[in-house]
C-alpha cells in the first residue's frame, strides 16, 4: 500500500540522513541484487526529501552500480540505478546533473543503450534526457562520446513513445554547434524540426532556438524549409508562452533571411502573427517582429497585408510599436513607390507624415 505525500514528508523529517546513507551504502556493498534494487528504488522515490549533500554522495555509488561488469549485475539493478540517477538529476538546480556527468555516467549510459531494449532502454533514455536537460556540460560529453549518432540512429528506427524522449535529448544536444553541424551533414534536420513539434514545452523551445542557430548556415535554411520548419515554428509563435514565442519568431526570421523563403513564409500567414508580437509589451519581441516585417515589406505581394495589420498598431497607444510600424511603412514606400496613392488615402497617413 502506497503512503501519501504528507505521510512521506513526516517520515522524512524523522530520518537521520547520514545514518540512512551508510545503511544504503552497506546494502549495496554486501547484499543481494533483489535488496539492492529495493533500496535504490526507495531512494529514488524519496529524492524530494533527501538533502542534496546526501544525494551527491550516492551518485558515485549509483554510477558504479550502473557499470560494475565485474559484479555481473543483472539488468534490474542497472535499471534501478538509471531510474535513481534520473530522479537525482532533476535536483540541485543542475549541480547534481553535472556531478552525474563528471562521475562518468554518460559513456556508461550510451554503451548500455546500444545493447538494451524494452523498459530498460527507456529507463536509460530518461536518465540521459534528464542529464542533458539539467546539466548543460553533459551535452558536450554526450556529443564527444558519439551520443548524437546514437540518438539519430535510434530515432531513425524508433516507432514507439521512446521517440519523444529521444527528441527531447536531441533538442538539448542541438544547442551545441558541433551537434548542429552533425545533424545537418547526416540528414537529421527533419528530426530537429520534429523536436520543435513534439515534446515538452521547454524541449520545443530549445529546438526552436537550435533551429534559429542552424539557420545561420545558408544551406541549412533550405533543408529546414523542406523539413517543414515553417508551419511548426508558426505554431510555436501562436503559443502563449513568451519564451517559446520569441525563440520561434527569431528562428523563422533567420530562415527569412534567404530571399527565396520570403514569399513562402509570407504566404503561410505570418504577417498577423508578427504584427501581434510587434504590439506586445516585450521589447525583444518588438525588435524581432520589426525586423521580420521590414524584410517581408521588400516583396510587393506582402504590402497590403502588412498595411492592413499595422493599422491597428498605428491607431493604438503603444508608442514604441507605432515608431517601428512607421519605419516599416516608410521602407515599404521606398521599395514600392506605386503604393503611395493607396497609403495617402489610409486613415493613419497623418501619423506617417508627422513621424
Amino acid at each position: 500500500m502506497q503512503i501519501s505525500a504528507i505521510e512521506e514528508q513526516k517520515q522524512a523529517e524523522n530520518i537521520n540522513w547520514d545514518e540512512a546513507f551508510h545503511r544504503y551504502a552497506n546494502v549495496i556493498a554486501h547484499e543481494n541484487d533483489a535488496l539492492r534494487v529495493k533500496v535504490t528504488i526507495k531512494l529514488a522515490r524519496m529524492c524530494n526529501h533527501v538533502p542534496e549533500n546526501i544525494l551527491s554522495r550516492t551518485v558515485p555509488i549509483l554510477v558504479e552500480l550502473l557499470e560494475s561488469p565485474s559484479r555481473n549485475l543483472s539488468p534490474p539493478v542497472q535499471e534501478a540505478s538509471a531510474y535513481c540517477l534520473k530522479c537525482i538529476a532533476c535536483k540541485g538546480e543542475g549541480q547534481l546533473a553535472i556531478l552525474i556527468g563528471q562521475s562518468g555516467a554518460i559513456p556508461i549510459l550510451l554503451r548500455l543503450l546500444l545493447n538494451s531494449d524494452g523498459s530498460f532502454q527507456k529507463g536509460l533514455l530518461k536518465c540521459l534526457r534528464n542529464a542533458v536537460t539539467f546539466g548543460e556540460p553533459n551535452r558536450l560529453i554526450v556529443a564527444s562520446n558519439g551520443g548524437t549518432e546514437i540518438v539519430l540512429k535510434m530515432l531513425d528506427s524508433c516507432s514507439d513513445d521512446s521517440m519523444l524522449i529521444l527528441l527531447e535529448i536531441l533538442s538539448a544536444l542541438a544547442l551545441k554547434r558541433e551537434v548542429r553541424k552533425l545533424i545537418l551533414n547526416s540528414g537529421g534536420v527533419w528530426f530537429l524540426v520534429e523536436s520543435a513539434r513534439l515534446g515538452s514545452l521547454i524541449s520545443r523551445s530549445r529546438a526552436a532556438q537550435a533551429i534559429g542557430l542552424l539557420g545561420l548556415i545558408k544551406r541549412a535554411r533550405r533543408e529546414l524549409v523542406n523539413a517543414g520548419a515553417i508551419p511548426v515554428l508558426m505554431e510555436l509563435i501562436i503559443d502563449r508562452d513568451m519564451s517559446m514565442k520569441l525563440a520561434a519568431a527569431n528562428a523563422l526570421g533567420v530562415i527569412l533571411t534567404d530571399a527565396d523563403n520570403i514569399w513562402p513564409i509570407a504566404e503561410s500567414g505570418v504577417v498577423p502573427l508578427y504584427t501581434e508580437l510587434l504590439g506586445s509589451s516585450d521589447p525583444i519581441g518588438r525588435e524581432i517582429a520589426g525586423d521580420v516585417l521590414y524584410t517581408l515589406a521588400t516583396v510587393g505581394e506582402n504590402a497590403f497585408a502588412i498595411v492592413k495589420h499595422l493599422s491597428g498598431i498605428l491607431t493604438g497607444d503603444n508608442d514604441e510599436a507605432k515608431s517601428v510600424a512607421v519605419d516599416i511603412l516608410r521602407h515599404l514606400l521606398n521599395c514600392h513607390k506605386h503604393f503611395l496613392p493607396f497609403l495617402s488615402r489610409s486613415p493613419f497617413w497623418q501619423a506617417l507624415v508627422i513621424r
Side-chain angles (χ1 to χ4, degrees), residues 117-328:
D117 54 22
S119 63
F120 182 33
Q121 184 179 84
K122 188 173 294 186
L124 294 170
L125 286 173
K126 288 181 178 180
C127 183
L128 184 62
R129 176 196 60 195
N130 284 10
V132 297
T133 295
F134 296 99
E136 190 273 337
N138 293 338
R139 299 166 189 172
L140 188 57
I141 298 176
V142 172
S144 61
N145 281 274
T148 308
E149 293 90 337
I150 292 173
V151 169
L152 289 173
K153 183 178 180 181
M154 292 182 71
L155 277 168
D156 203 34
S157 59
C158 183
S159 58
D160 59 12
D161 55 354
S162 291
M163 174 173 280
L164 286 177
I165 307 172
L166 286 162
L167 290 174
E168 292 190 349
I169 294 171
L170 185 66
S171 74
L173 297 179
L175 293 177
K176 291 296 181 183
R177 184 176 60 180
E178 303 90 332
V179 173
R180 293 193 299 274
K181 183 178 179 181
L182 179 59
I183 289 172
L184 179 60
N185 293 335
S186 63
V189 172
W190 185 85
F191 291 123
L192 180 58
V193 173
E194 278 293 281
S195 69
R197 188 175 71 87
L198 301 171
S200 66
L201 187 73
I202 188 170
S203 174
R204 296 171 72 197
S205 183
R206 280 197 309 259
Q209 183 182 351
I211 287 172
L213 292 169
L214 182 61
L216 295 174
I217 302 173
K218 183 175 176 60
R219 69 184 180 92
R221 294 196 279 271
R222 174 49 51 188
E223 294 283 339
L224 287 166
V225 172
N226 291 341
I230 293 175
V232 170
L233 292 172
M234 284 182 62
E235 182 182 341
L236 298 185
I237 296 173
I238 295 171
D239 195 278
R240 292 182 180 180
D241 181 81
M242 183 55 74
S243 62
M244 178 181 284
K245 189 187 291 285
L246 294 178
N250 181 69
L252 196 52
V254 171
I255 294 174
L256 190 67
T257 58
D258 191 326
D260 292 337
N261 295 331
I262 294 178
W263 177 238
I265 290 177
E267 195 175 31
S268 64
V270 300
V271 171
L273 298 180
Y274 279 99
T275 305
E276 180 184 351
L277 189 59
L278 178 61
S280 72
S281 59
D282 190 286
I284 298 177
R286 287 199 301 268
E287 182 179 355
I288 293 171
D291 289 344
V292 169
L293 290 170
Y294 195 88
T295 302
L296 290 172
T298 60
V299 176
E301 289 87 344
N302 301 327
F304 285 99
I306 290 174
V307 172
K308 174 185 175 182
H309 289 284
L310 286 182
S311 62
I313 289 178
L314 288 166
T315 56
D317 55 5
N318 187 329
D319 290 337
E320 291 85 358
K322 277 184 181 179
S323 177
V324 177
V326 168
D327 288 341
I328 293 169

